[in-house]
Amino acid sequence: MRLAELGEFGLIDRIKKNVAASPSVLLGIGDDAAALVPAPECVTLITCDMLLESVHFDLSFCDPESLGRKSLSVNLSDLAAMGAHPRQFLLGIALGKEVPIEFMDRFMAGVLEQAERFGATLVGGDTCASKGGIAISITALGEQRPELVLKRSGARPGDLICLSGTVGDAAAGLVALRQGVREGFLVSRQLDPTPRVAAGVALAEGGLATAMIDVSDGVLGDLGHIREMSGVGARLELAKLPLSDEYRAACGDDPYALALSGGEDYELLFCIAPGKRGEVEALFAKLALRLSVIGEITATPEVKLVTPGGGVYAPGHGGFDHFG
Ligand code: ADP
Ligand code: MG
């Protein structure tokens, strides 16, 4: 059966049936607007990310479930980067009438699986027929106490620059997908990233970080945002970049190029005062998440990339830019 036979309201009913209730939601899907219950003494953090067919995803590469999970994950990663608890989200979707209902069912199963895993509730959205490809837009809401929210602007000279997990995997996964590979670690890092929600919240609530961002456009590009907003520079030791074995096996002659400029790893890039290092290490050990200190914030507004031999590395480009 195709969406044309189900109709817009049939589809909305089908989505609504699978959404669980939440104490933070007074009114969810079905009214003209949702009514949400704020947590005491918290501010709302709100973020929106769009995924377009043939710009952000290719249906010949990914299954509908992982597309659903990723659509939410990229938004949860933005909330995590602010140190916020995920709460609710809205789903805007445009798709062709000829799309099979099975696609939508599997996409929604992925969205709602990720929602349940990270404690977010679908509270509404918008559904349109598209004449050219699928567009997905999720708006996610999170909460945190205002004094704990982590911004890009708090980095100070002397802070240590830290990364969760490994970088370069998602970009190497995209290269592999384009070469016809359809499975494995790198491919799954591209198609089904894990937002670092617990780490982001714990860094904020422990008062451990001075600035934070998620790595969506590449380490250099995203570090550039922290540098600009904090008015600082950075010195990175390339030997400290966390690279997976799979990435090392795939990256060719220059192990640093994709690790520095490849996007979509959705790891956390954050700065800490040196005195917090032990506490941050203990936190990441508890979370069973890899932690790497990759460099230091400097006062001069430049970025210096130091090679393992002590030389200076000149990167090809800074990060992903949609209009670049
Ligand atoms: P309106 O025309 O008043 O904007 P709609 O008919 O578009 O309302 O939507 C009806 C209800 O279904 C609303 O509560 C809306 O938030 C919800 N909704 C519409 N599309 C989606 C979707 N893709 N996912 C979740 N909820 C949706
Ligand atoms: Mg509407």
Side-chain angles (χ1 to χ4, degrees), residues 8-9 12 15 28-33 90-93 104 108 122-127:
E8 178 186 342
F9 299 106
I12 295 172
I15 293 172
I29 297 172
D31 258 284
D32 289 305
L90 297 159
L91 169 65
I93 186 157
M104 203 47 205
M108 284 312 304
L122 179 61
V123 295
D126 203 15
T127 307

Side-chain angles (χ1 to χ4, degrees), residues 122-160:
L122 179 61
V123 295
D126 203 15
T127 307
C128 302
S130 158
K131 290 184 176 163
I134 299 177
I136 302 157
S137 171
I138 290 187
T139 299
L141 298 107
E143 284 181 318
Q144 187 49 278
R145 295 168 68 99
E147 69 276 17
L148 298 178
V149 170
L150 285 170
K151 297 177 286 187
R152 298 175 176 185
S153 56
R156 294 294 167 260
D159 283 355
L160 303 178

Side-chain angles (χ1 to χ4, degrees), residues 209-242:
T210 55
M212 186 150 69
I213 192 168
D214 67 322
V215 183
S216 53
D217 299 333
V219 168
L220 268 193
D222 290 314
L223 179 61
H225 297 310
I226 287 188
R227 289 197 300 111
E228 251 167 61
M229 303 221 11
S230 300
V232 295
R235 184 177 172 282
L236 289 191
E237 284 178 56
L238 300 186
K240 303 269 173 69
L241 278 174

Side-chain angles (χ1 to χ4, degrees), residues 255-321:
Y256 307 123
L258 274 189
L260 288 170
S261 65
E264 297 198 279
D265 285 312
Y266 298 103
E267 294 297 343
L268 294 173
L269 176 66
F270 56 99
C271 301
I272 64 171
K276 301 283 189 191
R277 183 169 182 161
E279 244 181 291
V280 174
E281 282 171 352
L283 167 67
F284 276 68
K286 203 180 83 190
L287 295 171
L289 184 57
R290 184 165 168 177
L291 170 73
S292 303
V293 175
I294 60 169
E296 197 181 289
I297 295 292
T298 57
T300 45
E302 57 173 17
V303 59
K304 201 169 161 194
L305 304 173
V306 184
T307 65
V312 174
Y313 178 86
H317 61 96
F320 187 75
D321 176 339

Side-chain angles (χ1 to χ4, degrees), residues 33-312:
L36 310 178
V37 184
E41 289 167 61
C42 281
V43 289
T44 299
L45 293 111
I46 180 165
T47 180
C48 179
D49 250 311
M50 192 141 85
L51 274 83
L52 299 179
E53 186 174 357
S54 59
V55 177
H56 300 94
F57 63 91
D58 182 330
L59 290 176
S60 63
F61 290 178
C62 64
D63 59 277
E65 288 87 352
S66 48
L67 179 63
R69 285 192 298 269
K70 182 170 178 175
S71 302
L72 186 58
S73 295
V74 298
N75 284 279
L76 297 179
S77 179
D78 281 324
L79 292 178
M82 304 298 292
H85 292 273
R87 297 290 191 224
Q88 306 92 2
F89 66 103
L90 297 159
L91 169 65
I93 186 157
L95 67 183
K97 292 187 189 119
E98 76 290 350
V99 171
I101 290 168
E102 190 212 349
F103 171 88
M104 203 47 205
D105 285 346
R106 292 176 59 191
F107 171 79
M108 284 312 304
V111 170
L112 295 177
E113 176 195 339
Q114 205 70 337
E116 191 185 336
R117 178 170 168 204
F118 291 100
T121 305
L122 179 61
V123 295
D126 203 15
T127 307
C128 302
S130 158
K131 290 184 176 163
I134 299 177
I136 302 157
S137 171
I138 290 187
T139 299
L141 298 107
E143 284 181 318
Q144 187 49 278
R145 295 168 68 99
E147 69 276 17
L148 298 178
V149 170
L150 285 170
K151 297 177 286 187
R152 298 175 176 185
S153 56
R156 294 294 167 260
D159 283 355
L160 303 178
I161 303 169
C162 304
L163 262 178
S164 68
T166 54
V167 289
D169 299 328
L174 186 58
V175 172
L177 281 161
R178 288 183 175 145
Q179 290 167 348
V181 180
R182 288 292 176 270
E183 54 192 13
F185 173 78
L186 297 176
V187 163
S188 78
R189 290 273 290 164
Q190 163 62 222
L191 298 182
D192 201 356
T194 302
R196 302 303 187 189
V197 173
V201 167
L203 285 165
E205 294 185 346
L208 297 173
T210 55
M212 186 150 69
I213 192 168
D214 67 322
V215 183
S216 53
D217 299 333
V219 168
L220 268 193
D222 290 314
L223 179 61
H225 297 310
I226 287 188
R227 289 197 300 111
E228 251 167 61
M229 303 221 11
S230 300
V232 295
R235 184 177 172 282
L236 289 191
E237 284 178 56
L238 300 186
K240 303 269 173 69
L241 278 174
L243 307 178
S244 65
D245 294 339
E246 293 83 352
Y247 172 85
R248 283 180 195 279
C251 66
D253 294 343
D254 182 352
Y256 307 123
L258 274 189
L260 288 170
S261 65
E264 297 198 279
D265 285 312
Y266 298 103
E267 294 297 343
L268 294 173
L269 176 66
F270 56 99
C271 301
I272 64 171
K276 301 283 189 191
R277 183 169 182 161
E279 244 181 291
V280 174
E281 282 171 352
L283 167 67
F284 276 68
K286 203 180 83 190
L287 295 171
L289 184 57
R290 184 165 168 177
L291 170 73
S292 303
V293 175
I294 60 169
E296 197 181 289
I297 295 292
T298 57
T300 45
E302 57 173 17
V303 59
K304 201 169 161 194
L305 304 173
V306 184
T307 65
V312 174

